[in-house]
Amino acid sequence: MKILVFNGSPKKDKSDIMHITRAFLAGINEKISPEVKVINVIDSHIEYCRGCFTCKLNGGTCVYDDDMKMILPEIIASDLLIFNFPLYCYGMPAPLKVLVDRTLPLSSMRMKWDGNRYIHVGQADFSHLHYLMICGCGFPNSRNNFEPMVAQFKLLFPQNHTIITVPESPMFNVPEATGVTQPRLELVQKAGKQYAERWEIDDELLREIGSPMIPEETYAAIVNSNAC
């Protein structure tokens, strides 16, 4: 299995979310030995898409000569794309959104009816690809926080997608919180092992991973006590 991780956090390896991703990859490693590449998106030179559609009309070549020229072939060559990022204003951080925008060369101008909507026809075969979203937020719970990003991810990748959301994620970078974060990382590792076995994770396990690690009111009080 070839895994390409897009780390969307500006904090790179020190991000809260990378703790979760590393635990997930550890679970996969219990079953198989994947080839893993991590791209810290903040370090990549990726220009903003200007919507000229040149790529869709000339077979997939973008007018920009930047890092996407190397990233696009790596996407096609992968089996699993992991989008790892903190929730920013109910969506993904800007550098990662720019990268997603610049995947436009992978589709053509042609459209087809697919289920209940029109989609662009791909300029490559994506049937082998699987997509995983790992997203954390600083709120005490998942309600009315992740829904916009979850909806966007499902629209972007309607097939073969899996979504992991984790509230209270800043605690993963707090050594004093290890007593509650370590058990949660163990659940994530279990999820990685399941995923390696069958490309999916039990719904109950996903709900457990997405539940608050400490009571909501306690977490909010801790955050407020440290607020300026």
Side-chain angles (χ1 to χ4, degrees):
M1 180 190 294
K2 185 173 182 178
I3 301 175
L4 184 59
V5 180
F6 292 118
N7 181 10
S9 173
K11 297 176 182 177
K12 299 186 280 189
D13 286 345
K14 296 180 180 179
S15 72
D16 310 327
I17 316 306
M18 277 305 293
H19 290 277
I20 306 169
T21 299
R22 283 190 286 265
F24 188 85
L25 293 173
I28 288 180
N29 270 293
E30 289 186 39
K31 301 300 295 184
I32 59 174
S33 298
E35 176 186 344
V36 180
K37 179 174 182 178
V38 178
I39 294 178
N40 292 312
V41 180
I42 193 72
D43 289 336
S44 300
H45 172 211
I46 304 175
E47 297 287 347
Y48 294 108
C49 178
R50 66 187 193 186
C52 65
F53 298 134
T54 300
C55 62
K56 290 183 176 292
L57 299 170
N58 68 3
T61 302
C62 182
V63 295
Y64 290 122
D65 184 12
D66 59 12
D67 287 347
M68 286 303 295
K69 190 173 183 179
M70 287 77 75
I71 291 173
L72 290 175
E74 292 197 63
I75 289 175
I76 300 299
S78 298
D79 300 297
L80 170 61
L81 304 180
I82 297 180
F83 294 84
N84 158 94
F85 58 95
L87 195 69
Y88 277 22
C89 297
Y90 308 102
M92 64 181 72
L96 183 58
K97 180 58 166 62
V98 172
L99 183 147
V100 172
D101 288 345
R102 287 287 308 285
T103 61
L104 216 60
L106 298 178
S107 63
S108 67
M109 286 296 289
R110 291 185 296 118
M111 298 181 186
K112 68 176 181 179
W113 182 254
D114 183 49
N116 59 0
R117 62 172 180 154
Y118 282 100
I119 63 171
H120 286 285
V121 177
Q123 300 202 74
D125 181 10
F126 308 112
S127 59
H128 64 288
L129 275 172
H130 292 74
Y131 312 90
L132 174 68
M133 174 180 127
I134 299 178
C135 183
C137 77
F139 287 117
N141 57 54
S142 298
R143 299 186 307 275
N144 300 315
N145 294 318
F146 291 110
E147 290 87 347
M149 188 60 247
V150 168
Q152 183 183 30
F153 197 79
K154 288 180 177 179
L155 287 170
L156 285 168
F157 310 113
Q159 307 296 327
N160 302 331
H161 63 252
T162 302
I163 296 171
I164 296 175
T165 58
V166 185
E168 303 179 345
S169 62
M171 290 203 299
F172 289 109
N173 265 331
V174 179
E176 295 82 359
T178 303
V180 293
T181 57
Q182 186 56 39
R184 190 56 49 97
L185 293 176
E186 290 171 1
L187 291 177
V188 175
Q189 187 167 337
K190 180 180 178 181
K193 183 178 178 180
Q194 278 189 9
Y195 193 81
E197 293 172 334
R198 46 193 168 90
W199 292 111
E200 60 182 17
I201 304 167
D202 291 341
D203 288 340
E204 181 57 37
L205 180 55
L206 286 173
R207 281 192 290 271
E208 196 171 358
I209 292 171
S211 65
M213 288 177 277
I214 62 175
E216 299 175 21
E217 297 80 5
T218 303
Y219 177 85
I222 292 171
V223 172
N224 289 341
S225 68
N226 290 288
C228 296

